[in-house]
Amino acid sequence: MSDCLFCKMVSGDIQPNVVYEDDDVLAFRDLNPQAPTHILVIPKRHISTLNDLEPGDEALMGNLVLTAARIAEKEGIAEAGYRTLLNCNAEAGQTVFHIHLHLLGGRPMGWPPG
Ligand code: AMP
Ligand code: ZN
């Protein structure tokens, strides 16, 4: 989608700080990190929100989670612990409408989230 920030990262028009890439997934450091490690894992295909997922997207979404776990290991936060989350729409605070999984770690996380 031409006016989507994260699609521009996938196409190379904008160059994020990439930590992992394969045919289906891109992972990069968040511009405004909320923890010592804050990485976004996105599908390369544009999907606006979790509400837009369809049957057939199971493997892709599983790939996002598996990618996050592997990155957590590489970042050295796997044993201490980390948080993964996906915000969906306004009340959850979604600001970029291309699905992205947040990987946060490197500090203790509060619960419940705000
Ligand atoms: P959300 O609020 O769940 O939609 O998360 C969007 C995330 O994208 C926020 O954590 C932003 O800091 C992050 N973000 C926005 N623009 C950029 C950018 N150009 N590069 C990296 N991360 C970004
Ligand atoms: Zn997009």
Side-chain angles (χ1 to χ4, degrees), residues 17-84:
N17 186 347
V18 172
V19 297
Y20 176 80
E21 181 170 14
D22 65 25
D23 287 347
D24 302 314
V25 165
L26 181 68
F28 52 89
R29 294 195 188 278
D30 197 292
L31 196 63
N32 182 24
Q34 301 301 311
T37 295
H38 188 176
I39 288 165
L40 302 177
V41 187
I42 69 168
K44 286 192 168 177
R45 177 161 60 87
H46 182 88
I47 306 170
S48 297
T49 79
L50 287 189
N51 294 337
D52 300 301
L53 288 170
E54 292 177 350
D57 291 332
E58 297 88 347
L60 180 61
M61 295 309 291
N63 198 356
L64 292 192
V65 176
L66 191 56
T67 298
R70 289 194 174 136
I71 293 171
E73 186 74 42
K74 269 195 198 162
E75 293 282 314
I77 58 173
E79 291 308 315
Y82 56 91
R83 182 164 294 166
T84 58

Side-chain angles (χ1 to χ4, degrees), residues 6-19:
F6 290 174
C7 281
K8 286 179 183 158
M9 293 179 180
V10 172
S11 67
D13 290 347
I14 294 175
Q15 274 144 17
N17 186 347
V18 172
V19 297

